[in-house]
Amino acid sequence: MTNPLGKSSVHLNISGRVQGVYYRASMLQEAQRLGLTGWVMNRPDGSVEAVAEGWKAKIEELIAWCHQGPQGARIAGVEVQWQKPENSFFGFAIRRV
Protein backbone atom coordinates (compact mmCIF):
# COMPACT_ATOMS: atom_id res chain seq x y z
CA MET A 1 0.00 0.00 0.00
CA THR A 2 1.34 3.42 -0.84
CA ASN A 3 0.60 6.83 0.56
CA PRO A 4 1.63 9.70 -1.74
CA LEU A 5 1.57 12.16 1.17
CA GLY A 6 3.47 10.04 3.67
CA LYS A 7 5.45 6.91 4.19
CA SER A 8 5.12 3.82 2.05
CA SER A 9 6.34 0.28 2.53
CA VAL A 10 7.37 -2.45 0.13
CA HIS A 11 8.19 -6.15 0.46
CA LEU A 12 10.76 -7.34 -2.10
CA ASN A 13 11.91 -10.74 -3.29
CA ILE A 14 14.94 -10.65 -5.58
CA SER A 15 15.91 -13.80 -7.48
CA GLY A 16 18.87 -14.77 -9.60
CA ARG A 17 22.55 -14.78 -8.65
CA VAL A 18 22.10 -12.58 -5.59
CA GLN A 19 23.89 -14.47 -2.83
CA GLY A 20 27.65 -14.44 -2.45
CA VAL A 21 27.97 -11.23 -4.49
CA TYR A 22 27.71 -8.61 -1.70
CA TYR A 23 24.02 -7.98 -2.50
CA ARG A 24 22.79 -7.55 1.08
CA ALA A 25 25.60 -5.23 2.13
CA SER A 26 25.20 -3.20 -1.06
CA MET A 27 21.45 -2.92 -0.52
CA LEU A 28 22.08 -1.83 3.06
CA GLN A 29 24.32 0.99 1.82
CA GLU A 30 21.83 2.02 -0.87
CA ALA A 31 18.87 2.02 1.55
CA GLN A 32 20.85 4.09 4.06
CA ARG A 33 21.84 6.54 1.31
CA LEU A 34 18.15 6.92 0.43
CA GLY A 35 17.10 7.37 4.07
CA LEU A 36 14.99 4.21 4.17
CA THR A 37 14.33 1.91 7.10
CA GLY A 38 13.76 -1.85 7.10
CA TRP A 39 15.84 -4.98 6.55
CA VAL A 40 17.36 -7.35 3.99
CA MET A 41 18.19 -11.07 4.30
CA ASN A 42 19.24 -14.14 2.33
CA ARG A 43 16.58 -16.82 1.88
CA PRO A 44 17.30 -20.57 1.93
CA ASP A 45 16.15 -20.84 -1.71
CA GLY A 46 18.98 -18.55 -2.89
CA SER A 47 16.91 -15.39 -3.21
CA VAL A 48 17.12 -12.18 -1.21
CA GLU A 49 14.14 -10.77 0.69
CA ALA A 50 13.75 -7.21 1.94
CA VAL A 51 11.29 -4.77 3.47
CA ALA A 52 11.83 -1.05 3.01
CA GLU A 53 9.89 1.91 4.38
CA GLY A 54 10.13 5.59 3.61
CA TRP A 55 9.06 8.12 1.00
CA LYS A 56 7.58 6.41 -2.05
CA ALA A 57 9.98 8.12 -4.49
CA LYS A 58 12.97 6.87 -2.47
CA ILE A 59 11.55 3.33 -2.36
CA GLU A 60 11.11 3.44 -6.13
CA GLU A 61 14.81 4.40 -6.42
CA LEU A 62 15.69 1.36 -4.30
CA ILE A 63 13.52 -0.88 -6.49
CA ALA A 64 15.32 0.42 -9.58
CA TRP A 65 18.65 -0.33 -7.87
CA CYS A 66 17.43 -3.88 -7.07
CA HIS A 67 17.11 -4.60 -10.80
CA GLN A 68 20.86 -3.89 -11.18
CA GLY A 69 22.35 -4.84 -7.81
CA PRO A 70 26.10 -4.85 -7.16
CA GLN A 71 28.74 -5.95 -9.63
CA GLY A 72 28.64 -9.72 -9.95
CA ALA A 73 24.88 -10.02 -9.35
CA ARG A 74 22.64 -11.41 -12.09
CA ILE A 75 19.05 -10.44 -11.41
CA ALA A 76 16.38 -12.82 -12.72
CA GLY A 77 13.43 -11.00 -11.15
CA VAL A 78 12.28 -8.49 -8.57
CA GLU A 79 8.89 -9.19 -7.00
CA VAL A 80 7.35 -6.03 -5.52
CA GLN A 81 4.47 -6.02 -3.04
CA TRP A 82 3.37 -2.67 -1.64
CA GLN A 83 2.05 -2.87 1.90
CA LYS A 84 0.96 -0.72 4.81
CA PRO A 85 3.94 0.82 6.67
CA GLU A 86 4.69 -0.70 10.07
CA ASN A 87 6.60 2.38 11.29
CA SER A 88 8.53 0.09 13.62
CA PHE A 89 11.99 0.14 12.03
CA PHE A 90 14.94 2.18 13.23
CA GLY A 91 17.50 2.25 10.45
CA PHE A 92 18.12 -0.44 7.87
CA ALA A 93 19.69 -3.77 8.87
CA ILE A 94 20.87 -7.10 7.54
CA ARG A 95 18.90 -9.96 9.07
CA ARG A 96 20.18 -13.47 9.32
CA VAL A 97 18.01 -16.60 9.21
Side-chain angles (χ1 to χ4, degrees):
M1 176 180 292
T2 62
N3 178 352
L5 301 177
K7 286 182 80 175
S8 293
S9 181
V10 69
H11 182 261
L12 303 166
N13 281 303
I14 303 101
S15 59
R17 184 174 175 228
V18 293
Q19 291 189 16
V21 293
Y22 204 60
Y23 198 97
R24 290 176 303 162
S26 296
M27 181 185 259
L28 171 73
Q29 292 173 347
E30 185 66 10
Q32 289 173 335
R33 184 186 74 76
L34 294 169
L36 300 174
T37 60
W39 53 266
V40 60
M41 66 186 263
N42 283 342
R43 301 293 302 162
D45 66 1
S47 66
V48 169
E49 179 180 9
V51 170
E53 291 190 355
W55 296 107
K56 184 178 183 206
K58 297 296 183 181
I59 293 173
E60 288 173 341
E61 285 184 52
L62 181 68
I63 293 168
W65 178 90
C66 287
H67 286 277
Q68 300 294 330
Q71 186 175 7
R74 299 291 178 264
I75 312 307
V78 178
E79 181 182 321
V80 178
Q81 295 177 308
W82 293 97
Q83 57 191 19
K84 183 177 178 182
E86 294 178 25
N87 296 311
S88 62
F89 302 116
F90 297 96
F92 200 91
I94 295 175
R95 285 190 178 174
R96 293 177 172 39
V97 180

